[in-house]
Amino acid sequence: MSKKKSTGKNYDFLVLGAGGTGLAAAMYAARLGLRTLVLGHSHGTELPIGGIITTTHIVENYPGFTKISGPELAREIEKHALSYDLVSVKGGKALQIKKKKGIFIVKTEKTDYKTKTILFATGTRWRKLPDSVKNSSKFENMGLSYCALCDAPLYKGKTVAIIGGSDSAAKDALLLTEYAKKVYMIYRGSEIHPEPINLQRIEKNKKIEVINNTNLTKINGDEFVKGISLDRKYKSSNELNLDGVFVAIGHEPLSQISAQLGVKLNGKKEIKINHMTSETNIHGVYAAGDVTDKPFKQLITGVADGCTAAYYAYEYITKEKVMVT
């Protein structure tokens, strides 16, 4: 293995996305001797590391860690990846990707990179409230939040609501109870559907009240959120007084740049992959993690698919004898 850190503009394996999936793939690629670049870009941050897991309060389903915070787990994966001299991590957003004579050219704001293979580990972003919910844009960051871990400490002793019924929404609700005095969990379906262990925790927590079969129609307030309007009465009123609203209604895949290259997407705009090899419809192009069409999405499954992609990228380079010039 090289003693020097990987530098320059030519690579064997280029990973788009510096989340846990992308970093794990980079680690595995380096073990196979591939010169690897990880490009990360998120909300204007110069060098974002860790991805969406950094917004998770507690992780209890990743082997080797009985209980660990999302940010801590991300740091451990980052540390592992960067322990390999063949791995470089840089901030940058891919603006365009082209394939020329078997080589991929990735254009960013500052420079162009050449690579033999590509992995899309671009992940997802929070799904925003629909336009049908009045004032949803007006109150963003003014009492309306999409990140409970980021903003929960601001609501100590206050009353808040979490919109959503998934496991992510349940974990956010549980986190919020560490600060807020009351947490409403509002879900459009007849029953919330977190993992069984989190459902038990929700049911036992006296601070949490679940309101089912109900939709949010409007966010109320002046300068900051003061309450919400619902599409059906709760305790004889369609209005609920609150100090803050948190939203956990799913994620949208960040697959736009892959589509420009000609990578096939499904109806949800997820990248379609071979579930055995993580390869897309374009030879030498792979995808892993939440951006793909795998139905079960967890960090552990993303990491597994990222490592699989690295292995098959190595196989592809070896068999095709791909050269970067």
Side-chain angles (χ1 to χ4, degrees):
M1 184 177 292
S2 168
K3 295 291 183 184
K4 278 179 91 172
K5 272 289 179 188
S6 179
T7 58
K9 299 180 182 179
N10 296 343
Y11 295 90
D12 299 309
F13 190 56
L14 191 148
V15 181
L16 293 174
T21 293
L23 290 168
M27 174 275 294
Y28 208 84
R31 290 182 61 82
L32 294 167
L34 302 185
R35 195 164 179 240
T36 302
L37 172 65
V38 181
L39 281 179
H41 174 82
S42 177
H43 307 298
T45 305
E46 184 180 355
L47 192 62
I49 299 290
I52 202 74
I53 197 68
T54 60
T55 65
T56 300
H57 180 38
I58 295 295
V59 179
E60 298 176 302
N61 58 1
Y62 198 91
F65 301 96
T66 305
K67 181 180 287 188
I68 187 171
S69 77
E72 287 174 324
L73 180 55
R75 283 193 293 271
E76 289 298 318
I77 298 174
E78 173 197 1
K79 189 190 305 180
H80 194 170
L82 291 177
S83 70
Y84 290 88
D85 294 333
L86 289 174
V87 174
S88 288
V89 181
K90 298 182 180 180
K93 181 179 181 180
L95 302 177
Q96 186 182 64
I97 305 173
K98 291 183 178 180
K99 188 174 184 180
K100 187 176 181 180
K101 296 181 179 179
I103 297 300
F104 299 96
I105 301 169
V106 179
K107 181 180 179 63
T108 70
E109 301 102 317
K110 296 181 179 179
T111 190
D112 294 353
Y113 300 99
K114 292 182 179 180
T115 182
K116 299 173 184 177
T117 56
I118 289 180
L119 171 66
F120 287 101
T122 42
T124 61
R125 63 186 168 204
W126 288 295
R127 180 173 288 120
K128 297 293 186 75
L129 287 170
D131 293 338
S132 57
V133 178
K134 295 178 182 178
N135 296 331
S136 58
S137 297
K138 174 182 176 182
F139 287 107
E140 274 191 37
N141 302 314
M142 305 297 286
L144 172 65
S145 174
Y146 289 85
C147 180
L149 184 62
C150 310
D151 297 334
L154 301 175
Y155 294 89
K156 189 171 183 178
K158 297 185 178 182
T159 300
V160 299
I162 180 82
I163 311 300
S166 66
D167 191 58
S168 294
K171 287 191 284 190
D172 283 353
L174 290 164
L175 166 62
L176 287 165
T177 62
E178 296 182 18
Y179 301 93
K181 66 179 180 182
K182 178 74 175 181
V183 178
Y184 292 99
M185 194 171 178
I186 300 170
Y187 182 51
R188 63 184 180 179
S190 58
E191 294 181 350
I192 60 172
H193 48 91
E195 289 184 2
I197 189 170
N198 287 324
L199 178 59
Q200 291 173 15
R201 290 167 176 165
I202 290 285
E203 291 171 343
K204 290 178 181 178
N205 196 308
K206 295 180 179 179
K207 286 187 176 183
I208 298 175
E209 187 169 347
V210 179
I211 305 175
N212 287 317
N213 298 310
T214 302
N215 290 288
L216 176 65
T217 60
K218 183 182 177 183
I219 299 175
N220 304 317
D222 38 48
E223 187 177 354
F224 296 96
V225 169
K226 294 291 181 65
I228 56 176
S229 298
L230 307 173
D231 67 350
R232 62 191 292 268
K233 290 186 185 304
Y234 172 72
K235 294 183 178 178
S236 73
S237 175
N238 290 89
E239 309 296 320
L240 194 60
N241 294 326
L242 299 168
D243 300 296
V245 179
F246 291 81
V247 181
I249 56 174
H251 297 85
E252 297 174 344
L254 294 168
S255 57
Q256 298 91 330
I257 191 71
S258 67
Q260 291 178 20
L261 182 61
V263 171
K264 288 184 178 178
L265 310 180
N266 66 11
K268 298 177 182 177
K269 299 189 184 302
E270 298 167 327
I271 297 176
K272 297 175 70 172
I273 60 170
N274 180 318
H275 290 187
M276 288 184 62
T277 65
S278 293
E279 192 174 29
T280 69
N281 59 295
I282 300 176
H283 291 309
V285 179
Y286 305 82
D290 290 353
V291 75
T292 73
D293 65 348
K294 293 289 283 284
F296 182 52
K297 302 183 195 297
Q298 296 284 303
L299 179 59
I300 186 173
T301 61
V303 164
D305 290 339
C307 294
T308 298
Y311 173 78
Y312 282 101
Y314 167 77
E315 288 277 290
Y316 169 79
I317 290 169
T318 304
K319 289 178 181 178
E320 298 294 326
K321 296 181 172 57
V322 183
M323 300 289 291
V324 176
T325 56

